[in-house]
Amino acid sequence: MGEAPEITELAAEHTPEAIRERLRGGPSHNYLRDFVYGATDGIVTTFAVVAGASGASLSGGVVVILGAANLLADGFSMAVGNFLGSRAERQLRDRARRTEERHIDLIPGGEREEIRQIFARKGFQGKNLDRVVGVITSDKALWVDTMINEEMGYAQHASSPWVSALSTFGAFIVFGSLPLLVYVGDALSPGSVSHPFEMSASLAALGFFLVG
C-alpha cells in the first residue's frame, strides 16, 4: 500500500523536465567524509585533553583553556591538512587530464584501443562496441573524461579544497566542544557539577552516537 505514493513521487521526479533541471548544474560533491573526519577527531582529541587535565586534578577553568587551545590548534591543523590534500588531489587530476590530452594528440590509435578494451571489459561487443568507441572518441573532452575516470580512477568533478577544509574545521569545533561543555558550566559556576568528568565522557559518547 505504501508503494503507490512512492511510485507517484518517483515518477514526478523522473519526467524529462525534472531530470533536465536536476542535471543542469552537474553532479555535486559530497563532503560528508570530511565532516565525519573532523567530528570524530574533534571528540577524541578534546576528550583526551579533558581526561589528562582531569586526571591531574586541574581546575575547571584550566581544563577549558587547555581544551579550547586544542580545539583551535588541532582543528586548524586538520583543516589545513585536508585543504592541502584536496588541492594536491585536484592538481594530480588536472595533470592526468593534460597527460591524456597529449597522448590523444600524439598516439590517437593507442588511446582509441584503450577505450575499446575498457568497454569490452564492460561487456560491449561487435557493432555496439564499435559504436560506443566511435561516439566517445569523436569528442575529445568526453574522451579525456572517460580515460581519467576509467583508467586512472579519478572522479569527474574534484572536491573544493576550501569546502573540504571548512567542513572538517566546523565539525571539529562543534563536536569537539561537547566534552568541554560541562567544564565551561563548572568554570562559570564552581561546584555546580558534581561529577564533571563522568558527564563529559557521556557527552563524548553522545557525540560519537550522533556522528555514527
Side-chain angles (χ1 to χ4, degrees):
M1 293 178 63
E3 291 184 357
E6 181 181 1
I7 293 175
T8 301
E9 182 179 350
L10 287 174
E13 294 174 354
H14 287 79
T15 62
E17 295 77 12
I19 293 172
R20 190 179 302 110
E21 183 65 26
R22 187 165 63 249
L23 298 179
R24 181 174 299 169
S28 58
H29 188 82
N30 191 311
Y31 295 93
L32 180 61
R33 177 182 178 275
D34 303 292
F35 182 88
V36 172
Y37 179 55
T40 53
D41 198 84
I43 296 171
V44 170
T45 57
T46 306
F47 182 71
V49 170
V50 168
S54 179
S57 300
L58 301 179
S59 66
V62 174
V63 174
V64 171
I65 292 173
L66 293 176
N70 170 78
L71 279 175
L72 294 175
D74 204 5
F76 178 77
S77 173
M78 287 191 64
V80 170
N82 203 6
F83 174 85
L84 295 176
S86 298
R87 190 181 66 172
E89 185 176 357
R90 170 171 284 196
Q91 291 171 340
L92 286 175
R93 178 179 171 275
D94 292 342
R95 180 182 297 176
R97 174 176 289 278
R98 292 193 297 270
T99 299
E100 285 301 323
E101 289 173 345
R102 186 167 183 271
H103 288 177
I104 289 173
D105 290 336
L106 295 176
I107 47 170
E111 292 296 311
R112 188 174 289 107
E113 178 60 24
E114 288 186 350
I115 291 291
R116 177 175 294 277
Q117 293 196 24
I118 286 172
F119 283 89
R121 291 172 63 89
K122 293 178 180 291
F124 288 84
Q125 298 177 1
K127 292 183 178 179
N128 288 334
L129 179 59
D130 293 336
R131 188 177 297 113
V132 73
V133 171
V135 169
I136 291 174
T137 57
S138 66
D139 184 331
K140 187 176 180 180
L142 176 61
W143 193 348
V144 173
D145 285 343
T146 303
M147 292 303 299
I148 65 173
N149 179 247
E150 298 289 346
E151 182 185 20
M152 301 182 179
Y154 289 107
Q156 294 294 336
H157 299 273
S159 63
S160 165
W162 285 107
V163 177
S164 294
L166 290 174
S167 297
T168 298
F169 183 75
F172 190 99
I173 295 297
V174 171
F175 282 87
S177 298
L178 291 178
L180 278 180
L181 293 179
V182 177
Y183 288 92
V184 171
D186 188 54
L188 294 175
S189 180
S192 61
V193 182
S194 56
H195 300 287
F197 180 74
E198 288 78 0
M199 293 188 66
S200 177
S202 299
L203 286 175
L206 175 62
F208 281 120
F209 177 79
L210 293 175
V211 174

